[in-house]
Amino acid sequence: MCSTVRQRNAIPFRAIARVAFKMYPKRSILCLSLFVGQAFLSIGTAVGGITGPLVFGKLIATGQKSQVVIAFFIGAAVMALGGIVELFYGVKAEGKRT
């Protein structure tokens, strides 16, 4: 018995998304949030990887150590603030199953 394979017409992305969100709403929202989070992380890493060395390179080139020290303290304060925010608003998800 021979079977033939026929090519479909293109399926629009909107139709695929509609079916995914109707059949699997929780999974679809999870996948969408992971996608957005990954995009945010990737763009932030790229921007930080470019601007960080440029800013600190300019600061070091000025020859004024006080500006470099102040910039490092500002960076440390921003990171500490992020840690404090995470303590209050972070999700306690370690070791939990969904």
Side-chain angles (χ1 to χ4, degrees):
M1 177 171 183
C2 279
S3 61
T4 57
V5 177
R6 295 185 188 156
Q7 184 175 354
R8 286 186 178 182
N9 293 333
I11 300 173
F13 182 74
R14 183 177 289 176
I16 295 171
R18 187 179 303 125
V19 170
F21 275 94
K22 282 184 180 178
M23 291 183 67
Y24 307 104
K26 288 182 181 179
R27 286 185 190 175
S28 298
I29 291 171
L30 173 64
C31 290
L32 184 64
S33 64
L34 289 172
F35 178 76
V36 169
Q38 180 62 39
F40 180 77
L41 179 66
S42 297
I43 292 169
T45 301
V47 170
I50 293 169
T51 58
L54 288 175
V55 169
F56 280 104
K58 295 277 186 186
L59 288 174
I60 291 170
T62 63
Q64 296 179 359
K65 291 181 183 179
S66 62
Q67 287 185 347
V68 177
V69 170
I70 290 170
F72 275 111
F73 280 138
I74 290 171
V78 169
M79 290 185 354
L81 181 64
I84 292 168
V85 169
E86 191 278 331
L87 286 173
F88 288 105
Y89 295 108
V91 177
K92 306 285 189 251
E94 68 276 358
K96 293 186 179 179
R97 295 179 184 253
T98 57

